[in-house]
Amino acid sequence: RSSISISSNIAEGFGRSNATFINYLRIARGSLYELDTQVTISKELFDYIHNDLFLNISNELNEIGKMLNSLISKLNVKN
C-alpha cells in the first residue's frame, strides 16, 4: 500500500500549485519511509527477504528518497 502511495501522491500533487505539490511530495516521502520500515521489518523480524534483495531494495529506496528531496528543494527555491 505504501509503495503505491508514493507514486499516487506525486501524481495527485503534480497538477496543483507549487506549495501544494511540495506538500504531496512530502507525503510521498513519508510513504517512502513507511515502505523502508516495512521492508526492514520483513527482513529483520521475519526473514522474508534474502539479504541481497534487501540491499537492492534499500539502495533503490535511498535513490528515490534523494530524488524526492532534490525535487522538494528545487521547488522550494521557486516559491
Side-chain angles (χ1 to χ4, degrees), residues 4-71:
I4 293 170
S5 180
I6 297 165
S7 57
S8 295
N9 277 294
I10 294 168
E12 187 173 350
F14 180 72
R16 302 182 185 224
S17 69
N18 267 4
T20 303
F21 187 29
I22 291 168
N23 188 51
Y24 276 91
L25 291 172
R26 288 180 176 143
I27 294 168
R29 187 173 55 192
S31 295
L32 179 73
Y33 295 149
E34 182 181 358
L35 178 59
D36 185 49
T37 300
Q38 292 166 350
V39 169
T40 301
I41 289 169
S42 295
K43 167 71 173 99
E44 299 297 326
L45 257 50
F46 303 109
D47 207 28
Y48 289 150
I49 300 174
H50 188 270
N51 195 52
D52 290 339
L53 179 59
F54 173 75
L55 292 174
N56 286 338
I57 292 171
S58 293
N59 288 336
E60 291 293 327
L61 294 177
N62 285 333
E63 285 300 311
I64 293 167
K66 288 177 187 177
M67 289 187 274
L68 281 172
N69 287 332
S70 177
L71 183 54

